[in-house]
Structure formats: C-alpha cells, structure tokens
Amino acid sequence: MAEDNQDKGGSMTVPKAKFIEDVESYMEGKEVEPTLNALQSLFQQYKQIEQGLQQNRIRLGNKLPEIKRALDTVKLLCDKATTGEELDMHFELTDSVYAKAKVKDAESVYLWLGANVMLEYPLEEARRLLETNHANCKNNLATNQSDLAFVKDNITITEVSIARVYNWDVKKRKEEATAKGGK
C-alpha cells in the first residue's frame, strides 16, 4: 500500500509505494481480495500518472527545439539590427509552408504565444522572453524525467507487492488444503 507520508518525485507529490518485506505480518488480520484490489488500484493510479508524464515529456520535447529556433533567429536579428545589413530569412507560415523575406534594421518581432495569440515584442524583450521560456522548458523537462523515474520505481514496487501477496495467498491455500487432506 502507500505510506501516509508523501514523497516528492520532483515537482509533484505522489504517495510512495511501500515494499512489503514480511507478507505474513502485513496480511495479519486482512482479507486477501480487498488487499489485492487496493494494490491493483494503486498500480492503476501510478500507470495513469506515468502516462500523463510521458505525454508531457513528449510535448516539452517538441516545444524545446521550437523555442531554441525562435531564440536563435531573434539573436541573429539583434546582432544585425544596427549594421544595416539585409538578411534573407525563411519563416514558417503554417506546418511545412515557409515564406522568404528580406529583413533590414528590424526593431521588433511577432511571437506566437499559443491559443491563436500573437504579440509584437521589441527585439531585446523578445530575446529575454525566449531565453526565459527556453530555460523554463529545459527545467520542466528535467523535472519531468525525475518524476517519471520516481513513478516507474513505484510501479515496480507495487507490482512486486501484488505478486508477493498473491503468492502468499496461494501458499496459504495450499497449506490449508494439505492440512485438511492430512486429517
């Protein structure tokens, strides 16, 4: 079962699975079916958390290169803004559709914020915003990986606990059947 205390697996709070060392003492005064059902329920909860973390990891993994690409472009524009040099740029209109433009002395850029919202930012402000977003995305990805490792450990512990309780029940039933047959 899960301990009362919560163990942090990074940014989220998940009940830590308790390894059942002595099944005999753990099962003392408990019924097998409700105990197995509780362990199965805990196992399912961990699996749902794992699935959510994996989806979040994929989303963050896809977002990171996009932020980096935008940051590199804004840095290039910042570097070339005062030189008067004309740049040939390709920018994405939609998925797999790009347009070519000549950019000279750019003072601002438009950034997609999501939910069909685009805002104009001065170059330096856009650079700072993208640097912050890039750092946050990297931190969130690292936190997600540690959370995922924690949940996977708990899944393994819960699976082992289920197997130990089930095997204890089989052994107990076999001993009872032998005891009844021997009398």
Side-chain angles (χ1 to χ4, degrees), residues 163-180:
R164 289 178 61 106
V165 169
Y166 180 81
N167 290 340
W168 174 83
D169 183 46
V170 168
K171 181 181 172 189
K172 182 181 163 199
R173 288 176 193 238
K174 190 181 264 187
E175 288 172 356
E176 288 173 358
T178 303
K180 284 182 184 178

Side-chain angles (χ1 to χ4, degrees), residues 6 57 121 142 162:
Q6 304 279 315
R57 187 191 74 210
Y121 287 95
I162 291 169

Side-chain angles (χ1 to χ4, degrees), residues 25-137:
S25 64
Y26 179 79
M27 290 302 295
E28 198 169 293
K30 295 181 182 174
E31 295 290 322
V32 174
E33 283 302 314
T35 302
L36 283 174
N37 288 341
L39 287 170
Q40 284 288 354
S41 174
L42 187 61
F43 174 76
Q44 290 302 321
Q45 290 172 2
Y46 284 134
K47 291 302 275 184
Q48 287 176 343
I49 292 169
E50 178 188 34
Q51 185 178 23
L53 287 170
Q54 287 173 337
Q55 289 172 349
N56 193 30
R57 187 191 74 210
I58 291 168
R59 185 184 57 78
L60 289 170
N62 290 337
K63 193 176 182 182
L64 193 61
E66 290 176 16
I67 294 171
K68 178 70 172 140
R69 186 174 41 238
L71 179 59
D72 290 343
T73 302
V74 169
K75 284 180 178 178
L76 178 67
L77 288 172
C78 285
D79 292 344
K80 302 294 181 178
T82 56
T83 63
E85 188 178 331
E86 191 173 87
L87 295 169
D88 285 335
M89 305 289 289
H90 291 82
F91 59 95
E92 189 173 16
L93 293 174
T94 63
D95 291 336
S96 302
V97 178
Y98 291 84
K100 185 175 181 180
K102 294 185 185 287
V103 179
K104 183 176 179 182
D105 297 330
E107 296 176 5
S108 64
V109 293
Y110 290 86
L111 297 178
W112 282 108
L113 300 180
N116 293 328
V117 175
M118 179 184 269
L119 285 179
E120 181 179 13
Y121 287 95
L123 288 177
E124 278 304 312
E125 189 177 338
R127 183 186 54 75
R128 286 191 306 271
L129 175 69
L130 289 170
E131 285 173 346
T132 300
N133 288 352
H134 187 258
N136 288 343
C137 190

Side-chain angles (χ1 to χ4, degrees), residues 129-147:
L129 175 69
L130 289 170
E131 285 173 346
T132 300
N133 288 352
H134 187 258
N136 288 343
C137 190
K138 285 172 80 172
N139 290 339
N140 290 343
L141 198 53
T143 300
N144 178 280
Q145 289 172 341
S146 67
D147 287 348

